[in-house]
Amino acid sequence: MTTTTGAPLLELTAADTGTPATPEGLLSFLADGARFGDLLTGHKAVVLRGFGLTADTVDAALDLVLPNRLAYVHGNSPRTKVGDNLYTSTEYPQQFTISMHNELSYAEHWPRRLAFFCERAAETGGATPVVDGAAWLAALDPEVREAFAGGVRYTQNLHDGLGLGKSWQDTFETTDRRAVEEYLAGTSAEWAWRSDGGLRVGLVRPATVRHPVTGAEVWFNQADQWHPAGLGDEAAGALAQLLPPEELPQYVTFADGTPIPDAYVLQIRDRGLETAVDVDWNTGDLLVIDNVLVGHGRRPFTGSRRVLVAMTD
């Protein structure tokens, strides 16, 4: 058993669980869902190593740690569905860092728990950093925390099959407009179909939330990922030449519509990454995180890394 002082991570091997170093041994350990749930709440992230999991055997483990696997509906990250609500973790170019975030924190409903399975480790790099959301919040300057106290407003411009970003069909995993409207009607989102067949969605969300069990207040928004400044000067400049901010595939302001200063965005991004702890992957590893208590990201890598992700409510 390995823990990192002050870090949201517990590493377990077969020796720690007292089970055989096999997929069956892992299943016997995970069968006590209440025990594992307590471990996860206490440590915020748990990585299980050395059980020989493969793409053919991981589903049974996922069924135990994610009792109600969810579809990636309303997700903004590029990924491919490869199984029963099982997806590639992201298809964002491998040379870039993905900054810290909580999955679907911009949506009305988000998953409470995520599981990542390393089907194939990268040749170099490719760690999944995890950050304690309370520590991330504490790392921000008081001025930034106060500025975000009123929440944020997210805007998505989803095209109809041709354009920048994701289409509404990919985002909501349907080609049925009525199904999209029914989904959005169950949220506090505002939406409108555009004359070009696209869809604009707006949603006001808090910048922080409290964990339902521990009561911890955590940083819980994706302002830095939805803001052009988070892309870097070159990418942001190129986008600015193409579209005004409110027409970008995704954009964010303060809840009242006031622009968020670039300096705030960069501080949020950088301090999240600085506060994070890297989970370095071995093929067959399984990482489970509490999606409220912990944010995650991705380090750049070389080689043909393949990490799959699933989630539950």
Side-chain angles (χ1 to χ4, degrees):
M1 181 183 300
T2 304
T3 58
T4 304
T5 303
L9 183 64
L10 172 69
E11 297 186 16
L12 295 175
T13 65
D16 300 317
T17 61
T19 63
T22 63
E24 294 75 17
L26 178 59
L27 295 182
S28 67
F29 173 71
L30 295 176
D32 187 340
R35 175 182 60 183
F36 184 78
D38 289 343
L39 274 177
L40 186 61
T41 300
H43 293 275
K44 304 168 187 173
V46 178
V47 60
L48 300 141
R49 302 189 188 273
F51 290 93
L53 283 179
T54 66
D56 294 330
T57 59
V58 71
D59 262 332
L62 292 175
D63 287 343
L64 291 175
V65 297
L66 307 174
N68 180 33
R69 240 187 278 182
L70 301 174
Y72 185 59
V73 175
H74 206 174
N76 68 326
S77 178
R79 62 184 76 204
T80 300
K81 194 171 186 176
V82 297
D84 180 16
N85 288 343
L86 182 64
Y87 301 82
T88 55
S89 60
T90 184
E91 292 167 10
Y92 197 66
Q94 64 190 58
Q95 66 269 33
F96 298 118
T97 295
I98 297 176
S99 60
M100 309 309 296
H101 62 286
N102 303 79
E103 202 65 47
L104 290 166
S105 62
Y106 51 85
E108 180 78 5
H109 307 290
W110 58 83
R112 294 293 179 88
R113 187 183 291 186
L114 308 180
F116 298 86
F117 167 64
C118 183
E119 184 177 351
R120 183 170 55 247
E123 290 180 14
T124 64
T128 293
V130 293
V131 63
D132 183 322
W136 190 3
L137 176 62
L140 301 175
D141 290 351
E143 175 186 355
V144 174
R145 296 198 299 269
E146 182 177 349
F148 278 85
V152 295
R153 177 182 295 273
Y154 298 103
T155 300
Q156 281 181 298
N157 292 297
L158 305 169
H159 60 76
D160 191 31
L162 183 64
L164 290 175
K166 293 182 71 174
S167 69
W168 63 263
Q169 294 93 334
D170 285 343
T171 297
F172 294 99
E173 294 193 358
T174 182
T175 58
D176 185 346
R177 285 192 177 202
R178 189 174 304 171
V180 174
E181 292 173 356
E182 288 176 356
Y183 173 86
L184 290 173
T187 72
S188 56
E190 303 170 351
W191 77 92
W193 295 103
R194 303 174 62 126
S195 59
D196 61 2
L199 175 67
R200 173 173 285 184
V201 180
L203 187 64
V204 174
R205 296 287 304 138
T208 67
V209 298
R210 290 191 178 275
H211 190 269
V213 176
T214 70
E217 184 182 12
V218 298
W219 188 250
F220 197 78
N221 68 81
Q222 287 176 232
D224 63 307
Q225 291 195 331
W226 286 56
H227 194 287
L231 300 173
D233 292 342
E234 184 175 343
L239 282 174
Q241 295 297 316
L242 295 173
L243 295 167
E246 64 273 12
E247 295 295 327
L248 293 172
Q250 55 190 40
Y251 184 58
V252 64
T253 64
F254 290 121
D256 63 1
T258 304
I260 299 173
D262 290 2
Y264 289 2
V265 170
L266 298 179
Q267 181 183 138
I268 293 163
R269 181 196 65 188
D270 294 345
R271 293 191 185 172
L273 286 164
E274 291 164 2
T275 309
V277 173
D278 284 353
V279 178
D280 294 307
W281 289 109
N282 300 310
T283 297
D285 288 348
L286 181 67
L287 168 67
V288 186
I289 68 173
D290 184 308
N291 186 48
V292 177
L293 293 174
V294 170
H296 66 280
R298 191 205 67 192
R299 303 293 185 185
F301 66 93
T302 64
S304 54
R305 174 189 188 271
R306 183 174 170 89
V307 174
L308 305 180
V309 65
M311 57 197 78
T312 192
D313 54 10

PDB file of all heavy atoms in Angstrom, residues 26-57:
ATOM      1  N   LEU A  26      -8.779  -9.343  -8.048  1.00  0.00           N
ATOM      2  CA  LEU A  26      -9.263  -7.967  -7.945  1.00  0.00           C
ATOM      3  C   LEU A  26     -10.772  -7.945  -7.747  1.00  0.00           C
ATOM      4  O   LEU A  26     -11.287  -7.175  -6.922  1.00  0.00           O
ATOM      5  CB  LEU A  26      -8.880  -7.179  -9.196  1.00  0.00           C
ATOM      6  CG  LEU A  26      -9.366  -5.729  -9.237  1.00  0.00           C
ATOM      7  CD1 LEU A  26      -8.827  -4.928  -8.058  1.00  0.00           C
ATOM      8  CD2 LEU A  26      -8.980  -5.061 -10.556  1.00  0.00           C
ATOM      9  N   LEU A  27     -11.490  -8.791  -8.465  1.00  0.00           N
ATOM     10  CA  LEU A  27     -12.947  -8.824  -8.324  1.00  0.00           C
ATOM     11  C   LEU A  27     -13.355  -9.203  -6.906  1.00  0.00           C
ATOM     12  O   LEU A  27     -14.320  -8.652  -6.358  1.00  0.00           O
ATOM     13  CB  LEU A  27     -13.554  -9.815  -9.322  1.00  0.00           C
ATOM     14  CG  LEU A  27     -13.393  -9.471 -10.807  1.00  0.00           C
ATOM     15  CD1 LEU A  27     -14.080 -10.528 -11.667  1.00  0.00           C
ATOM     16  CD2 LEU A  27     -13.954  -8.088 -11.112  1.00  0.00           C
ATOM     17  N   SER A  28     -12.620 -10.109  -6.292  1.00  0.00           N
ATOM     18  CA  SER A  28     -12.964 -10.507  -4.923  1.00  0.00           C
ATOM     19  C   SER A  28     -12.765  -9.351  -3.958  1.00  0.00           C
ATOM     20  O   SER A  28     -13.518  -9.197  -2.987  1.00  0.00           O
ATOM     21  CB  SER A  28     -12.144 -11.724  -4.494  1.00  0.00           C
ATOM     22  OG  SER A  28     -10.770 -11.395  -4.375  1.00  0.00           O
ATOM     23  N   PHE A  29     -11.750  -8.520  -4.203  1.00  0.00           N
ATOM     24  CA  PHE A  29     -11.526  -7.353  -3.352  1.00  0.00           C
ATOM     25  C   PHE A  29     -12.607  -6.296  -3.572  1.00  0.00           C
ATOM     26  O   PHE A  29     -13.123  -5.697  -2.618  1.00  0.00           O
ATOM     27  CB  PHE A  29     -10.150  -6.758  -3.632  1.00  0.00           C
ATOM     28  CG  PHE A  29      -9.902  -5.447  -2.929  1.00  0.00           C
ATOM     29  CD1 PHE A  29      -9.712  -5.406  -1.560  1.00  0.00           C
ATOM     30  CD2 PHE A  29      -9.872  -4.258  -3.642  1.00  0.00           C
ATOM     31  CE1 PHE A  29      -9.495  -4.198  -0.902  1.00  0.00           C
ATOM     32  CE2 PHE A  29      -9.650  -3.053  -2.996  1.00  0.00           C
ATOM     33  CZ  PHE A  29      -9.467  -3.022  -1.622  1.00  0.00           C
ATOM     34  N   LEU A  30     -12.978  -6.077  -4.832  1.00  0.00           N
ATOM     35  CA  LEU A  30     -13.952  -5.031  -5.153  1.00  0.00           C
ATOM     36  C   LEU A  30     -15.382  -5.431  -4.839  1.00  0.00           C
ATOM     37  O   LEU A  30     -16.280  -4.581  -4.835  1.00  0.00           O
ATOM     38  CB  LEU A  30     -13.845  -4.664  -6.640  1.00  0.00           C
ATOM     39  CG  LEU A  30     -12.530  -4.027  -7.092  1.00  0.00           C
ATOM     40  CD1 LEU A  30     -12.539  -3.822  -8.600  1.00  0.00           C
ATOM     41  CD2 LEU A  30     -12.271  -2.713  -6.363  1.00  0.00           C
ATOM     42  N   ALA A  31     -15.611  -6.718  -4.565  1.00  0.00           N
ATOM     43  CA  ALA A  31     -16.976  -7.196  -4.307  1.00  0.00           C
ATOM     44  C   ALA A  31     -17.607  -6.521  -3.101  1.00  0.00           C
ATOM     45  O   ALA A  31     -18.836  -6.382  -3.027  1.00  0.00           O
ATOM     46  CB  ALA A  31     -16.969  -8.708  -4.120  1.00  0.00           C
ATOM     47  N   ASP A  32     -16.777  -6.096  -2.137  1.00  0.00           N
ATOM     48  CA  ASP A  32     -17.286  -5.355  -0.982  1.00  0.00           C
ATOM     49  C   ASP A  32     -17.346  -3.879  -1.368  1.00  0.00           C
ATOM     50  O   ASP A  32     -16.411  -3.109  -1.135  1.00  0.00           O
ATOM     51  CB  ASP A  32     -16.369  -5.570   0.225  1.00  0.00           C
ATOM     52  CG  ASP A  32     -16.935  -4.961   1.510  1.00  0.00           C
ATOM     53  OD1 ASP A  32     -17.811  -4.078   1.418  1.00  0.00           O
ATOM     54  OD2 ASP A  32     -16.484  -5.368   2.596  1.00  0.00           O
ATOM     55  N   GLY A  33     -18.463  -3.491  -1.980  1.00  0.00           N
ATOM     56  CA  GLY A  33     -18.583  -2.134  -2.503  1.00  0.00           C
ATOM     57  C   GLY A  33     -18.527  -1.062  -1.437  1.00  0.00           C
ATOM     58  O   GLY A  33     -17.986   0.020  -1.662  1.00  0.00           O
ATOM     59  N   ALA A  34     -19.084  -1.355  -0.261  1.00  0.00           N
ATOM     60  CA  ALA A  34     -19.072  -0.355   0.811  1.00  0.00           C
ATOM     61  C   ALA A  34     -17.654  -0.086   1.283  1.00  0.00           C
ATOM     62  O   ALA A  34     -17.266   1.073   1.522  1.00  0.00           O
ATOM     63  CB  ALA A  34     -19.942  -0.826   1.971  1.00  0.00           C
ATOM     64  N   ARG A  35     -16.853  -1.152   1.422  1.00  0.00           N
ATOM     65  CA  ARG A  35     -15.462  -0.969   1.851  1.00  0.00           C
ATOM     66  C   ARG A  35     -14.700  -0.131   0.830  1.00  0.00           C
ATOM     67  O   ARG A  35     -13.962   0.804   1.194  1.00  0.00           O
ATOM     68  CB  ARG A  35     -14.788  -2.330   2.029  1.00  0.00           C
ATOM     69  CG  ARG A  35     -13.292  -2.246   2.364  1.00  0.00           C
ATOM     70  CD  ARG A  35     -12.662  -3.619   2.488  1.00  0.00           C
ATOM     71  NE  ARG A  35     -12.773  -4.388   1.249  1.00  0.00           N
ATOM     72  CZ  ARG A  35     -12.361  -5.641   1.102  1.00  0.00           C
ATOM     73  NH1 ARG A  35     -11.817  -6.276   2.127  1.00  0.00           N
ATOM     74  NH2 ARG A  35     -12.497  -6.255  -0.052  1.00  0.00           N
ATOM     75  N   PHE A  36     -14.866  -0.459  -0.462  1.00  0.00           N
ATOM     76  CA  PHE A  36     -14.146   0.300  -1.474  1.00  0.00           C
ATOM     77  C   PHE A  36     -14.637   1.745  -1.511  1.00  0.00           C
ATOM     78  O   PHE A  36     -13.841   2.677  -1.676  1.00  0.00           O
ATOM     79  CB  PHE A  36     -14.298  -0.342  -2.855  1.00  0.00           C
ATOM     80  CG  PHE A  36     -13.492   0.362  -3.909  1.00  0.00           C
ATOM     81  CD1 PHE A  36     -12.124   0.155  -3.997  1.00  0.00           C
ATOM     82  CD2 PHE A  36     -14.082   1.269  -4.781  1.00  0.00           C
ATOM     83  CE1 PHE A  36     -11.353   0.828  -4.939  1.00  0.00           C
ATOM     84  CE2 PHE A  36     -13.334   1.943  -5.723  1.00  0.00           C
ATOM     85  CZ  PHE A  36     -11.968   1.719  -5.803  1.00  0.00           C
ATOM     86  N   GLY A  37     -15.941   1.952  -1.334  1.00  0.00           N
ATOM     87  CA  GLY A  37     -16.461   3.313  -1.314  1.00  0.00           C
ATOM     88  C   GLY A  37     -15.868   4.147  -0.200  1.00  0.00           C
ATOM     89  O   GLY A  37     -15.549   5.326  -0.389  1.00  0.00           O
ATOM     90  N   ASP A  38     -15.691   3.542   0.961  1.00  0.00           N
ATOM     91  CA  ASP A  38     -15.064   4.257   2.076  1.00  0.00           C
ATOM     92  C   ASP A  38     -13.605   4.606   1.759  1.00  0.00           C
ATOM     93  O   ASP A  38     -13.134   5.701   2.091  1.00  0.00           O
ATOM     94  CB  ASP A  38     -15.131   3.412   3.350  1.00  0.00           C
ATOM     95  CG  ASP A  38     -16.546   3.305   3.912  1.00  0.00           C
ATOM     96  OD1 ASP A  38     -17.404   4.132   3.522  1.00  0.00           O
ATOM     97  OD2 ASP A  38     -16.784   2.401   4.730  1.00  0.00           O
ATOM     98  N   LEU A  39     -12.899   3.654   1.147  1.00  0.00           N
ATOM     99  CA  LEU A  39     -11.509   3.917   0.750  1.00  0.00           C
ATOM    100  C   LEU A  39     -11.440   5.094  -0.219  1.00  0.00           C
ATOM    101  O   LEU A  39     -10.594   5.977  -0.090  1.00  0.00           O
ATOM    102  CB  LEU A  39     -10.901   2.684   0.079  1.00  0.00           C
ATOM    103  CG  LEU A  39     -10.277   1.613   0.947  1.00  0.00           C
ATOM    104  CD1 LEU A  39      -9.798   0.458   0.083  1.00  0.00           C
ATOM    105  CD2 LEU A  39      -9.110   2.170   1.759  1.00  0.00           C
ATOM    106  N   LEU A  40     -12.359   5.095  -1.178  1.00  0.00           N
ATOM    107  CA  LEU A  40     -12.326   6.136  -2.195  1.00  0.00           C
ATOM    108  C   LEU A  40     -12.657   7.501  -1.607  1.00  0.00           C
ATOM    109  O   LEU A  40     -11.999   8.496  -1.924  1.00  0.00           O
ATOM    110  CB  LEU A  40     -13.298   5.785  -3.329  1.00  0.00           C
ATOM    111  CG  LEU A  40     -13.269   6.712  -4.539  1.00  0.00           C
ATOM    112  CD1 LEU A  40     -11.889   6.704  -5.191  1.00  0.00           C
ATOM    113  CD2 LEU A  40     -14.326   6.302  -5.550  1.00  0.00           C
ATOM    114  N   THR A  41     -13.658   7.560  -0.755  1.00  0.00           N
ATOM    115  CA  THR A  41     -13.997   8.840  -0.130  1.00  0.00           C
ATOM    116  C   THR A  41     -12.854   9.346   0.744  1.00  0.00           C
ATOM    117  O   THR A  41     -12.543  10.540   0.754  1.00  0.00           O
ATOM    118  CB  THR A  41     -15.278   8.705   0.707  1.00  0.00           C
ATOM    119  OG1 THR A  41     -16.359   8.303  -0.142  1.00  0.00           O
ATOM    120  CG2 THR A  41     -15.635  10.019   1.378  1.00  0.00           C
ATOM    121  N   GLY A  42     -12.210   8.422   1.453  1.00  0.00           N
ATOM    122  CA  GLY A  42     -11.124   8.822   2.336  1.00  0.00           C
ATOM    123  C   GLY A  42      -9.872   9.261   1.599  1.00  0.00           C
ATOM    124  O   GLY A  42      -9.202  10.217   2.015  1.00  0.00           O
ATOM    125  N   HIS A  43      -9.536   8.566   0.513  1.00  0.00           N
ATOM    126  CA  HIS A  43      -8.286   8.854  -0.210  1.00  0.00           C
ATOM    127  C   HIS A  43      -8.508   9.639  -1.494  1.00  0.00           C
ATOM    128  O   HIS A  43      -7.547  10.115  -2.096  1.00  0.00           O
ATOM    129  CB  HIS A  43      -7.550   7.549  -0.514  1.00  0.00           C
ATOM    130  CG  HIS A  43      -7.033   6.857   0.717  1.00  0.00           C
ATOM    131  ND1 HIS A  43      -5.820   7.183   1.289  1.00  0.00           N
ATOM    132  CD2 HIS A  43      -7.572   5.880   1.480  1.00  0.00           C
ATOM    133  CE1 HIS A  43      -5.625   6.423   2.357  1.00  0.00           C
ATOM    134  NE2 HIS A  43      -6.677   5.625   2.499  1.00  0.00           N
ATOM    135  N   LYS A  44      -9.747   9.703  -1.966  1.00  0.00           N
ATOM    136  CA  LYS A  44     -10.160  10.527  -3.114  1.00  0.00           C
ATOM    137  C   LYS A  44      -9.812   9.907  -4.457  1.00  0.00           C
ATOM    138  O   LYS A  44     -10.512  10.119  -5.454  1.00  0.00           O
ATOM    139  CB  LYS A  44      -9.594  11.939  -3.011  1.00  0.00           C
ATOM    140  CG  LYS A  44      -9.975  12.616  -1.707  1.00  0.00           C
ATOM    141  CD  LYS A  44      -9.213  13.889  -1.451  1.00  0.00           C
ATOM    142  CE  LYS A  44      -9.523  14.401  -0.050  1.00  0.00           C
ATOM    143  NZ  LYS A  44      -8.690  15.543   0.327  1.00  0.00           N
ATOM    144  N   ALA A  45      -8.716   9.148  -4.519  1.00  0.00           N
ATOM    145  CA  ALA A  45      -8.339   8.440  -5.745  1.00  0.00           C
ATOM    146  C   ALA A  45      -7.615   7.159  -5.342  1.00  0.00           C
ATOM    147  O   ALA A  45      -6.792   7.172  -4.424  1.00  0.00           O
ATOM    148  CB  ALA A  45      -7.434   9.304  -6.618  1.00  0.00           C
ATOM    149  N   VAL A  46      -7.949   6.066  -6.019  1.00  0.00           N
ATOM    150  CA  VAL A  46      -7.333   4.764  -5.723  1.00  0.00           C
ATOM    151  C   VAL A  46      -6.874   4.146  -7.035  1.00  0.00           C
ATOM    152  O   VAL A  46      -7.655   4.033  -7.980  1.00  0.00           O
ATOM    153  CB  VAL A  46      -8.320   3.806  -5.025  1.00  0.00           C
ATOM    154  CG1 VAL A  46      -7.671   2.452  -4.776  1.00  0.00           C
ATOM    155  CG2 VAL A  46      -8.827   4.414  -3.716  1.00  0.00           C
ATOM    156  N   VAL A  47      -5.593   3.749  -7.108  1.00  0.00           N
ATOM    157  CA  VAL A  47      -5.085   3.057  -8.282  1.00  0.00           C
ATOM    158  C   VAL A  47      -4.750   1.620  -7.887  1.00  0.00           C
ATOM    159  O   VAL A  47      -4.103   1.368  -6.874  1.00  0.00           O
ATOM    160  CB  VAL A  47      -3.862   3.776  -8.897  1.00  0.00           C
ATOM    161  CG1 VAL A  47      -2.702   3.892  -7.941  1.00  0.00           C
ATOM    162  CG2 VAL A  47      -3.438   3.096 -10.190  1.00  0.00           C
ATOM    163  N   LEU A  48      -5.235   0.670  -8.683  1.00  0.00           N
ATOM    164  CA  LEU A  48      -5.065  -0.762  -8.434  1.00  0.00           C
ATOM    165  C   LEU A  48      -4.118  -1.311  -9.488  1.00  0.00           C
ATOM    166  O   LEU A  48      -4.406  -1.244 -10.689  1.00  0.00           O
ATOM    167  CB  LEU A  48      -6.432  -1.456  -8.502  1.00  0.00           C
ATOM    168  CG  LEU A  48      -7.421  -0.907  -7.452  1.00  0.00           C
ATOM    169  CD1 LEU A  48      -8.814  -0.801  -8.025  1.00  0.00           C
ATOM    170  CD2 LEU A  48      -7.407  -1.772  -6.202  1.00  0.00           C
ATOM    171  N   ARG A  49      -2.975  -1.847  -9.021  1.00  0.00           N
ATOM    172  CA  ARG A  49      -1.911  -2.241  -9.938  1.00  0.00           C
ATOM    173  C   ARG A  49      -1.576  -3.729  -9.807  1.00  0.00           C
ATOM    174  O   ARG A  49      -1.670  -4.314  -8.726  1.00  0.00           O
ATOM    175  CB  ARG A  49      -0.639  -1.444  -9.647  1.00  0.00           C
ATOM    176  CG  ARG A  49      -0.767   0.079  -9.727  1.00  0.00           C
ATOM    177  CD  ARG A  49       0.612   0.717  -9.644  1.00  0.00           C
ATOM    178  NE  ARG A  49       0.601   2.161  -9.518  1.00  0.00           N
ATOM    179  CZ  ARG A  49       0.563   3.012 -10.543  1.00  0.00           C
ATOM    180  NH1 ARG A  49       0.475   2.538 -11.779  1.00  0.00           N
ATOM    181  NH2 ARG A  49       0.591   4.320 -10.335  1.00  0.00           N
ATOM    182  N   GLY A  50      -1.174  -4.316 -10.942  1.00  0.00           N
ATOM    183  CA  GLY A  50      -0.590  -5.649 -10.915  1.00  0.00           C
ATOM    184  C   GLY A  50      -1.580  -6.792 -10.884  1.00  0.00           C
ATOM    185  O   GLY A  50      -1.211  -7.916 -10.528  1.00  0.00           O
ATOM    186  N   PHE A  51      -2.831  -6.555 -11.286  1.00  0.00           N
ATOM    187  CA  PHE A  51      -3.830  -7.624 -11.284  1.00  0.00           C
ATOM    188  C   PHE A  51      -4.019  -8.258 -12.664  1.00  0.00           C
ATOM    189  O   PHE A  51      -4.887  -9.103 -12.830  1.00  0.00           O
ATOM    190  CB  PHE A  51      -5.166  -7.097 -10.769  1.00  0.00           C
ATOM    191  CG  PHE A  51      -5.159  -6.773  -9.298  1.00  0.00           C
ATOM    192  CD1 PHE A  51      -4.873  -5.493  -8.853  1.00  0.00           C
ATOM    193  CD2 PHE A  51      -5.427  -7.755  -8.350  1.00  0.00           C
ATOM    194  CE1 PHE A  51      -4.863  -5.184  -7.501  1.00  0.00           C
ATOM    195  CE2 PHE A  51      -5.413  -7.461  -6.999  1.00  0.00           C
ATOM    196  CZ  PHE A  51      -5.126  -6.169  -6.565  1.00  0.00           C
ATOM    197  N   GLY A  52      -3.235  -7.804 -13.627  1.00  0.00           N
ATOM    198  CA  GLY A  52      -3.294  -8.415 -14.951  1.00  0.00           C
ATOM    199  C   GLY A  52      -4.570  -8.138 -15.719  1.00  0.00           C
ATOM    200  O   GLY A  52      -4.977  -8.938 -16.570  1.00  0.00           O
ATOM    201  N   LEU A  53      -5.212  -7.006 -15.448  1.00  0.00           N
ATOM    202  CA  LEU A  53      -6.421  -6.664 -16.192  1.00  0.00           C
ATOM    203  C   LEU A  53      -6.115  -6.455 -17.667  1.00  0.00           C
ATOM    204  O   LEU A  53      -5.067  -5.918 -18.038  1.00  0.00           O
ATOM    205  CB  LEU A  53      -7.050  -5.386 -15.634  1.00  0.00           C
ATOM    206  CG  LEU A  53      -7.845  -5.475 -14.334  1.00  0.00           C
ATOM    207  CD1 LEU A  53      -8.355  -4.092 -13.958  1.00  0.00           C
ATOM    208  CD2 LEU A  53      -9.006  -6.453 -14.454  1.00  0.00           C
ATOM    209  N   THR A  54      -7.049  -6.857 -18.508  1.00  0.00           N
ATOM    210  CA  THR A  54      -6.947  -6.656 -19.953  1.00  0.00           C
ATOM    211  C   THR A  54      -8.267  -6.078 -20.455  1.00  0.00           C
ATOM    212  O   THR A  54      -9.253  -5.983 -19.706  1.00  0.00           O
ATOM    213  CB  THR A  54      -6.689  -7.982 -20.682  1.00  0.00           C
ATOM    214  OG1 THR A  54      -7.848  -8.824 -20.529  1.00  0.00           O
ATOM    215  CG2 THR A  54      -5.458  -8.692 -20.129  1.00  0.00           C
ATOM    216  N   ALA A  55      -8.292  -5.730 -21.733  1.00  0.00           N
ATOM    217  CA  ALA A  55      -9.522  -5.217 -22.325  1.00  0.00           C
ATOM    218  C   ALA A  55     -10.651  -6.243 -22.234  1.00  0.00           C
ATOM    219  O   ALA A  55     -11.830  -5.874 -22.200  1.00  0.00           O
ATOM    220  CB  ALA A  55      -9.276  -4.814 -23.772  1.00  0.00           C
ATOM    221  N   ASP A  56     -10.306  -7.520 -22.185  1.00  0.00           N
ATOM    222  CA  ASP A  56     -11.322  -8.576 -22.118  1.00  0.00           C
ATOM    223  C   ASP A  56     -11.836  -8.822 -20.701  1.00  0.00           C
ATOM    224  O   ASP A  56     -12.894  -9.427 -20.526  1.00  0.00           O
ATOM    225  CB  ASP A  56     -10.753  -9.885 -22.678  1.00  0.00           C
ATOM    226  CG  ASP A  56     -10.459  -9.799 -24.167  1.00  0.00           C
ATOM    227  OD1 ASP A  56     -11.163  -9.047 -24.860  1.00  0.00           O
ATOM    228  OD2 ASP A  56      -9.520 -10.476 -24.625  1.00  0.00           O
ATOM    229  N   THR A  57     -11.086  -8.390 -19.691  1.00  0.00           N
ATOM    230  CA  THR A  57     -11.478  -8.689 -18.307  1.00  0.00           C
ATOM    231  C   THR A  57     -11.859  -7.452 -17.500  1.00  0.00           C
ATOM    232  O   THR A  57     -12.364  -7.582 -16.380  1.00  0.00           O
ATOM    233  CB  THR A  57     -10.339  -9.422 -17.565  1.00  0.00           C
ATOM    234  OG1 THR A  57      -9.150  -8.593 -17.572  1.00  0.00           O
ATOM    235  CG2 THR A  57     -10.026 -10.754 -18.229  1.00  0.00           C
TER     236      THR A  57
END
